[in-house]
Amino acid sequence: AQKVTQAQTEISVVEKEDVTLDCVYETRDTTYYLFWYKQPPSGELVFLIRRNSFDEQNEISGRYSWNFQKSTSSFNFTITASQVVDSAVYFCALRDNAGNNRKLIWGLGTSLAVNP
Amino acid sequence: DTGVSQDPRHKITKRGQNVTFRCDPISEHNRLYWYRQTLGQGPEFLTYFQNEAQLEKSRLLSDRFSAERPKGSFSTLEIQRTEQGDSAMYLCASSERRGARSGANVLTFGAGSRLTVL
């Protein structure tokens, strides 16, 4: 069965610290997609990144970077030099390509608080 | 393109009343999804449309819930005889058709409609 685990429920850091949000997934499929979304206090889920299972290259976008490791079924997200505006709940999600499955399977989210 | 719009943003109702939420997706997106999110949880899938066809429904979608997308554009989600357990944020998302550029499978979410059932 598909499953996404975000073991960290809450993280609190001081501004300018680096922080890594963990995501571990389970799937039997060889073709799948992984996502990270940000949900700020306003409530709207904002897409951050999509990665397919055949692309294990790590990605960097500004202060954000993602480390995808199929060997450990992990897709971790690092924010460098965190800022107060990064405070939000971050969700990792998984989608496979089996049949007509169009659902994303979501983790429970990690609530990040960046304090000034 | 103003993104995905949802209306109303907040709805407070008494148990037993019917409520309807509306979602206007991004115009060129042919896929539309409804999710439900409760406090401290990730979104839970409710249903999915491709154009006007409702292709998948979750078991979470009881008989009191119905969703439509009559012309393949906007969608409505109706909850009949609301119960306190229906209190949640109802999220709508849309996406491009499969294989369409790099945006395939990427869901764009609206701000949600928060339902409180008293």
Side-chain angles (χ1 to χ4, degrees), chain B residues 6-105:
Chain B
Q6 291 189 246
D7 183 72
R9 293 291 311 278
H10 303 275
K11 178 71 176 179
I12 300 174
T13 190
K14 292 182 179 179
R15 188 177 54 184
Q17 298 294 307
N18 299 343
V19 297
T20 299
F21 301 116
R22 175 180 170 125
C23 172
D24 288 90
I26 293 174
S27 57
E28 60 265 30
H29 286 184
N30 71 333
R31 296 180 170 182
L32 187 146
Y33 307 77
W34 285 99
Y35 282 81
R36 180 173 69 185
Q37 186 179 24
T38 52
L39 195 63
Q41 301 292 317
E44 297 174 295
F45 171 80
L46 293 178
T47 190
Y48 151 70
F49 290 85
Q50 183 165 301
N51 299 313
E52 66 276 8
Q54 188 175 19
L55 296 185
E56 190 170 355
K57 291 173 58 173
S58 164
R59 284 173 292 180
L60 291 174
L61 217 64
S62 74
D63 291 345
R64 296 185 298 105
F65 287 71
S66 62
E68 295 182 342
R69 195 182 182 197
K71 297 181 179 179
S73 56
F74 73 92
S75 175
T76 57
L77 176 68
E78 181 183 14
I79 308 174
Q80 296 181 327
R81 305 181 303 280
T82 52
E83 301 173 356
Q84 288 184 325
D86 298 331
S87 296
M89 177 75 85
Y90 290 86
L91 298 167
C92 177
S94 66
S95 71
E96 296 180 7
R97 65 177 174 82
R98 184 175 183 176
R101 301 179 292 166
S102 61
N105 302 316

Side-chain angles (χ1 to χ4, degrees), chain A residues 58-111:
Chain A
N58 293 326
E59 181 158 337
I60 298 175
S61 176
R63 297 183 297 105
Y64 294 171
S65 61
W66 290 269
N67 183 1
F68 177 29
Q69 292 200 350
K70 290 179 73 171
S71 61
T72 55
S73 297
S74 65
F75 186 42
N76 296 336
F77 172 32
T78 297
I79 302 175
T80 303
S82 59
Q83 300 176 1
V84 173
V85 293
D86 296 327
S87 297
V89 180
Y90 291 85
F91 290 96
C92 181
L94 165 71
R95 179 192 180 282
D96 70 19
N97 272 357
N100 290 318
N101 182 3
R102 297 289 180 261
K103 297 185 291 291
L104 287 181
I105 305 301
W106 298 77
L108 294 181
T110 297
S111 178

Side-chain angles (χ1 to χ4, degrees), chain A residues 27-33 52-54 95-98, chain B residues 98:
Chain A
T27 180
R28 294 180 179 177
D29 295 293
T30 56
T31 302
Y32 52 89
Y33 293 91
N52 74 51
S53 52
F54 296 109
R95 179 192 180 282
D96 70 19
N97 272 357
Chain B
R98 184 175 183 176

